Structure formats: C-alpha cells, structure tokens
Amino acid sequence: MSYKVEALPDSYAALGEGPHWDVDRQSLYYVDLESAGINRYDFKQNKVYKSKIEGEEFASFILPVENKPQEFAVGCGRRTVIVQWDGVSAVAKVTRTLFEVEPDRKDNRINDAKTDPNGRFYGGTMATSGDIFTQWNGDLYSWQAGGQPKSIREKVGISNGLAWDVKAKKFYFIDTNNHEVLAYDYNQSTGAVSNPKVVFDLRKIRPEGPLFPDGMTVDTEGNIYVATFNGGTVFKVNPSTGKILLEIKIPTKQITSVAFGGPNLDILYVTTANKFDQPKPAGTTYQVTGLNAKGYAGVSLKI
C-alpha cells in the first residue's frame, strides 16, 4: 500500500492536539494546547485560521456545540468552558463554564476529550508538574447535558486517546503512562462502559524502550489508529488480535493525535508537537491519503 503524507499549510502548533472533523463546515478543528490556541483548517480553502482564547493558559480540546455554529466546548485547565468563535477571528472569548472537575487537585488539568456517538462528553485529567509520565493522579470522566461529571476510571496517569466502535460495542481508551490501549464494553444507549481489557501493548514494539501512545481514532472496519508521542508513527491495529496492520510514518517524532476527515472521510489528519526543542517540521499538522480506509466524522457536543 502506498500512502502519502503531506503537511497542511501554515498548520504549526507547538503542542497540536484534539483533531475533530466537522462535516457541516468541512473543517478540521484542533488546538495548540499550551497557548490556548484553537485552530480551524478549512478544507475547500486549504487554509488554517488560528485564534487565541482571551485570558486562558490552556486549550486541551475543542468540540463544536450542537446547533450553535459559533459555540465550542474547550478544555481550559480543569474547566470545560463555552467559547464564542466565528472560526476566523484571531481572538475568541469564554462566555461561561459548562463544568469543572477536581477543584481540590490544583496541579491537574483536563487533557484529551471527545464526544461519543450520542454527543456525550468523555475526557480525563493529568498532572501538570513534575515528571508527568510517572504520576497517576488523574481520572477519566463522562458528562452529559443536565448532569454532573462522573468518574469512570481512577488512578489515570495521562488521560489521552478515546474512540468508539458502535458496531463492535466497544470504547477504546489510552492512558499514555500505561503504554497500552484498553477496550471497554460500551452501551450506546446509556453511555456506560465496563469490563476493560488490554488490546494493544506498546511496551515491546521498539528495542529502545516503551512507546507512549497518545491520541486515537477508529475506521469503519473496526481498526484503531494509535499516535505515538515518542515514535514518529501512527499504528493501524486490529484490536481483536492486537496485530499491527500498518505503520504510518510521519516525518517528525512527537505524534499527538489522529482523526479521519475530508469530504469522503478517507483522509487521516495527524497532529504533532514540538516539545523539548525538536527539529523541524515538529508541530506541523499532516494529512495522510491513500490509506484505503474511511473513518467517522466528529460528533458535536450536546449541552
């Protein structure tokens, strides 16, 4: 199979994360996490619009709000806030807080978050100081409109990749610090998850040591795509067998997350980071074509 990896124009983010394909606007939303940056790649224009959220330090994810074209849920510290943005302006504003987690854990922040196929929120926390790769002080939460955030997993190190396969009735979750992907049984009607099992182990893939799994997505055939923060690679994996089907090489080391998008949902968008002085082109956002696979569009958050 010959796939093609191309940089999106002017797509740099020092810590790119949280790619979300929005069908209505034919746009890829993603964040520049440690500078409260929110970005929109317009497919038709082949152009990235960049904005900063006024008065905030972090933007750890961006999720369009259902039926509110200029409202987005964004992770700012331990809060999930509603941000007003027209998708073009260089400045965006917080209008209110939707919910907050862990008010007593001042050192934590929300990391990756997504919506499930029914528009519920799932996301988790991590430490922000010390060696973040050797602490397990976070939780994974779910939230739905009208309710309070509910912890669904404790002792999480760095809460990261999230993906759902409705056909297989599975929810996939990555805690980066555990070097593995978990599969939970997933009840779409209630949102409940249970019975976690390891389906992909990244400890022994490379002789130089364990790989750090980061963001994740699924394709329509049930394969998972796992970004590796220290591996320069996205692995396509069959979660039923744990077998690597394809290693997608990206021309920089810190691969943070992945999402399918494009008019036919057959382009894999890949965010990267430039942490700890990586050489160029670290921090570039990429598109991968020719994978002969399709994924699912992002789902807007119901509030």
Side-chain angles (χ1 to χ4, degrees), residues 17-19 30-31 33 37-38 53 58-63 72-77 79-81 99 109-114 121-124 301:
E17 262 287 7
Y30 64 103
V31 299
L33 199 153
I38 53 174
I53 303 172
F58 298 111
S60 56
F61 63 85
I62 178 167
L63 299 169
F72 299 85
V74 180
C76 294
R79 294 168 300 133
T80 292
V81 301
F99 60 86
R109 67 164 175 80
I110 295 179
N111 197 38
D112 204 359
K114 280 187 187 175
F121 169 100
Y122 289 72
L301 181 67

Side-chain angles (χ1 to χ4, degrees), residues 164-179:
W164 291 263
D165 183 341
V166 168
K167 285 186 269 193
K169 298 181 177 167
K170 294 294 180 189
F171 162 64
Y172 298 103
F173 173 64
I174 288 171
D175 178 345
T176 296
N177 293 0
N178 291 342
H179 309 287

Side-chain angles (χ1 to χ4, degrees), residues 16 102 106 135 148 216 241 286:
E102 304 175 6
K106 304 288 187 213
Q135 299 181 58
Q148 294 298 318
M216 172 172 53
T241 62
Y286 293 93

Side-chain angles (χ1 to χ4, degrees), residues 228-248:
T228 59
F229 186 73
N230 60 338
T233 295
V234 176
F235 291 108
K236 177 182 180 180
V237 176
N238 177 340
S240 301
T241 62
K243 186 176 174 234
I244 296 169
L245 304 177
L246 180 66
E247 194 168 325
I248 304 164

Side-chain angles (χ1 to χ4, degrees), residues 36-111:
I38 53 174
N39 301 334
R40 179 179 73 90
Y41 168 67
D42 187 301
F43 181 85
K44 287 196 183 81
Q45 295 179 25
N46 192 31
K47 178 178 178 177
V48 176
Y49 293 90
K50 296 182 177 180
S51 183
K52 296 287 184 199
I53 303 172
E54 210 170 56
E56 295 296 338
E57 183 183 0
F58 298 111
S60 56
F61 63 85
I62 178 167
L63 299 169
V65 172
E66 189 179 65
N67 299 326
K68 303 270 188 181
Q70 297 199 1
E71 289 190 6
F72 299 85
V74 180
C76 294
R78 293 182 311 281
R79 294 168 300 133
T80 292
V81 301
I82 300 299
V83 169
Q84 187 90 20
W85 187 40
D86 60 8
V88 176
S89 304
V91 177
K93 288 186 167 66
V94 174
T95 60
R96 63 192 172 98
T97 297
L98 199 56
F99 60 86
E100 184 173 0
V101 297
E102 304 175 6
D104 53 335
R105 293 187 228 173
K106 304 288 187 213
D107 189 43
N108 279 9
R109 67 164 175 80
I110 295 179
N111 197 38

